[in-house]
């Protein structure tokens, strides 16, 4: 019997060992490197429980969701197989390490780095006794960072989006009066949380398609309604709507583009909460409670809080965040004023070269656009493309055009006299064209006693990056 039990235990241990080896066995996986050469690496296949990465890992064909925050314990290289879709639902903490992303030949593998860990604010309590006021809503939680650390993209499709801020809690409704008194006031709505960061670190793009967005600010909570008044008494005031949260940076660091394509967008501001309605008046009173004011919309945020260098690539587009819409004012309870609507939030610069970093284009095409302010009782400010300190520095044979926030309309050439600080959009193109070179041979004159001979051979050479042209004039003899 003992021998049989030992045999069973040994067999079980063997099965566990085989399962463990199979789960962590590395596979030979092909990828395309930064120089677009096909290579092969020994990589570990990711699963839904893969929340720590190091060395070479890969996402297989099909859709895989990892519902935990991922931590890098060392530098890691991620291969996206063609046809793979990987979703990191709660983002990545690189913990001081670098993640390098590779694709395969077709470049169809995709990874989404998100962060959905924000929570909404708590609603205020309703007035719980005669004519008591409703409680205020609390502020929503801030959106989380989608990728904390440095990233290099050599291929595949990479999408990074900061977490949205949580909505503000709703204000509680005021209690109705029951003993010759005014109704309770409604509680104020809580403010929306801030949008999270897309990437909190640097990103270098050598190939592939990348889009990065800052998280949206959370919407403000609505104000609570005022309670009804008792006989001959007015209703309670409506609560004020909460302010919308500001959007988050898409990239909080420097961006370098050597190839591929990149779209970067700052987070949009959240909408302001609506004001609560005023309470109805009691019998014999004609004055209801005034409506609460709507909350201000949140401000859009810059796309890049750092510098950008473009050395190549198909195209690069950077756009600031749009301002949030102001909340509607609450209706009055009778013969009093409605609440004022909230102001719209301000749109944002694409980036600030005055405070955070420089704009450099050595070869490529870069579009920078500010965004519009939100709608409200007063419209939010529409921001210019870039906040320049002293103007754009000289960058070789650079062409620039002015574009409006809706890219493509009202374009005009920049001739060096326009104020860069008042451009809603700038397109910077550097074609790296070599300057023309002209060489002319000197004339040669020979004189003899019998005759004078003058020979002139003019040679002009013009060199550009595209072609070389040589012209030789015919010799003239007199």
């Amino acid at each position: 019997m003992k021998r049989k039990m030992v045999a069973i235990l040994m067999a079980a241990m063997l099965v566990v060992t085989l399962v463990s080896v199979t789960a962590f066995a590395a596979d030979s996986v092909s990828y395309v490197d930064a120089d677009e050469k096909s290579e092969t690496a020994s990589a570990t296949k990711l699963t839904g429980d893969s929340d720590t990465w190091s060395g070479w890992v890969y996402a297989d064909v099909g859709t895989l969701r990892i519902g935990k925050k991922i931590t890098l314990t060392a530098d890691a290289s991620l291969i996206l197989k063609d046809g793979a879709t990987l979703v990191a639902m709660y983002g990545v903490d690189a913990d001081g390490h670098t993640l390098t992303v590779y694709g395969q030949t077709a470049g169809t593998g995709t990874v989404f780095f998100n962060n959905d860990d924000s929570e909404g604010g708590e609603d205020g309590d309703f007035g719980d006794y005669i004519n008591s006021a409703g409680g205020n809503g609390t502020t929503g939680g801030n959106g989380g960072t989608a990728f904390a650390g440095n990233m290099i993209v050599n291929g595949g499709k990479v999408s990074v989006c900061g977490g949205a801020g949580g909505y503000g809690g709703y204000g509680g409704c005021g209690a109705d009066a029951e003993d010759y008194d005014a109704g309770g006031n409604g509680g104020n709505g809580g403010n929306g949380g801030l949008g999270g960061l897309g990437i909190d670190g640097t990103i270098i793009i050598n190939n592939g398609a990348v889009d990065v967005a800052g998280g949206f600010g959370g919407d403000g909570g609505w104000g609570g309604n005022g309670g009804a008044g008792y006989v001959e008494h007015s209703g309670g005031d409506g609560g004020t709507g909460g302010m919308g949260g500001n959007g988050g940076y898409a990239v909080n660091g420097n961006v370098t583009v050597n190839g591929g394509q990149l779209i970067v967008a700052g987070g949009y501001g959240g909408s302001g909460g609506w004001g609560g309605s005023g309470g109805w008046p009691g019998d014999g009173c004609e004055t209801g409670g005034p409506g609460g004011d709507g909350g201000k919309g949140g401000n859009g945020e810059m796309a890049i809080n750092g510098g950008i260098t473009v050395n190549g690539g198909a195209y690069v587009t950077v756009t600031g965040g749009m301002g949030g819409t102001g909340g509607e004012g609450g209706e009055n309870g009778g013969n009093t004023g409605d609440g004022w609507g909230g102001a719209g939030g301000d749109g944002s610069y694409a980036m600030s070269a005055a405070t955070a970093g420089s704009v450099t284009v050595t070869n490529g095409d870069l579009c920078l656009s500010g965004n519009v302010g939100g709608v409200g009782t007063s419209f939010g400010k529409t921001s210019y493309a870039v906040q320049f300190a002293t103007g754009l520095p000289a960058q070789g044979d650079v062409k620039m055009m002015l574009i409006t926030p809706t890219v493509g309309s009202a374009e005009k050439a920049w001739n060096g006299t326009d104020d860069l600080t008042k451009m809603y959009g700038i397109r910077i193109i550097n074609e790296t064209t070599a300057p023309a070179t002209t060489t002319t041979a000197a004339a040669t004159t020979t004189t003899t006693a019998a005759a004078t001979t003058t020979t002139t051979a003019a040679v002009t050479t013009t060199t550009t990056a595209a072609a070389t042209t040589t012209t030789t004039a015919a010799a003239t003899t007199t």
Side-chain angles (χ1 to χ4, degrees):
M1 183 69 179
K2 290 182 178 178
R3 290 181 178 178
K4 187 175 182 180
M5 290 296 295
V6 171
I8 292 173
L9 289 172
M10 291 180 65
M13 291 173 64
L14 179 61
V15 169
V16 171
T17 302
L18 289 173
V19 170
S20 299
V21 171
T22 302
F24 295 96
D27 302 316
S28 180
V29 183
S30 65
Y31 67 94
V32 178
D33 67 12
D35 297 323
E36 301 187 47
K37 295 179 180 178
S38 182
E39 302 287 352
T40 302
S42 180
T44 303
K45 180 179 176 179
L46 295 173
T47 70
D49 294 323
S50 300
D51 58 352
T52 57
W53 296 0
S54 63
W56 287 87
V57 296
Y58 75 95
D60 207 351
V61 177
T63 299
L64 173 65
R65 290 179 173 84
I66 300 178
K68 305 174 183 179
K69 181 180 285 293
I70 298 165
T71 302
L72 301 190
T73 57
D75 289 347
S77 297
L78 169 64
I79 301 174
L80 300 171
K81 277 194 167 185
D82 287 335
T85 300
L86 172 63
V87 182
M89 298 173 62
Y90 292 95
V92 175
D93 182 1
D95 196 22
H97 305 296
T98 299
L99 176 67
T100 304
V101 182
Y102 296 91
Q104 290 189 319
T105 306
T108 59
T110 303
V111 59
F112 294 92
F113 295 112
N114 302 324
N115 197 320
D116 299 327
D117 61 359
S118 64
E119 296 182 354
E122 296 182 0
D123 296 340
D125 295 329
F126 280 36
D128 57 1
Y129 58 91
I130 298 172
N131 83 327
S132 64
N136 296 330
T138 62
T139 299
N142 295 333
T145 298
F147 190 93
N150 301 326
M151 185 188 303
I152 300 172
V153 180
N154 290 328
K157 298 179 179 179
V158 179
S159 179
V160 186
C161 185
Y167 58 83
Y170 281 34
C173 293
D176 295 341
E178 296 182 6
D179 188 15
Y180 291 93
D181 209 338
N185 296 331
N188 298 327
N191 297 331
L194 303 176
L197 301 174
I199 298 176
D200 189 12
T202 63
I203 180 169
I204 300 172
I205 302 164
N206 296 315
N207 214 328
V210 180
D211 62 84
V212 187
F216 283 29
D219 294 339
W222 290 25
N225 296 332
Y230 195 65
V231 176
E232 298 181 350
H233 285 77
S234 66
D237 298 350
T240 300
M243 294 187 297
N246 297 337
Y249 297 125
V251 181
N252 186 36
N254 294 325
V255 177
T256 303
V257 182
N258 299 316
Q261 61 190 49
L262 172 65
I263 298 174
V264 190
Y268 285 26
S271 297
W274 288 30
S277 298
W280 292 99
D283 293 341
C285 178
E286 297 182 351
T287 305
D293 294 338
K296 177 184 178 296
N299 297 330
E301 190 53 275
M302 291 190 301
I304 301 175
N305 185 38
I308 183 168
T309 300
V310 180
N311 299 318
Y315 61 85
V316 181
T317 302
V318 183
T319 307
M322 182 185 295
T325 302
E328 296 278 350
E331 296 182 351
N332 71 84
N335 297 318
T336 54
D338 293 339
W340 286 92
D346 294 338
S348 178
Y349 300 108
M351 59 178 291
S352 173
T355 60
S358 61
V359 179
T360 304
V361 181
T362 64
N363 183 26
D365 190 339
L366 169 64
C367 284
L368 299 161
S369 298
N371 218 323
V372 296
V375 177
T377 50
S378 60
F379 283 71
K381 180 182 69 175
T382 296
S383 288
Y384 301 117
V386 182
Q387 184 182 23
F388 285 105
T390 57
L392 188 71
Q395 302 185 52
D397 184 17
V398 177
K399 300 176 182 177
M400 300 183 64
M401 287 180 283
L402 171 65
I403 52 180
T404 65
T406 52
V407 177
S409 62
E411 291 190 356
K412 72 170 186 177
W414 180 70
N415 57 15
T417 61
D418 289 343
D419 186 353
L420 280 169
T421 64
K422 295 182 179 179
M423 288 186 173
Y424 292 111
I426 302 172
R427 183 180 183 193
I428 306 172
I429 307 171
N430 194 339
E431 298 176 334
T432 61
T433 303
T437 301
T438 302
T439 304
T440 303
T444 302
T445 302
T446 303
T447 304
T448 66
T452 301
T453 302
T454 303
T455 303
T456 303
V459 180
T460 302
T461 303
T462 302
T463 305
T464 67
T468 302
T469 302
T470 303
T471 303
T472 304
T476 300
T477 302
T478 303

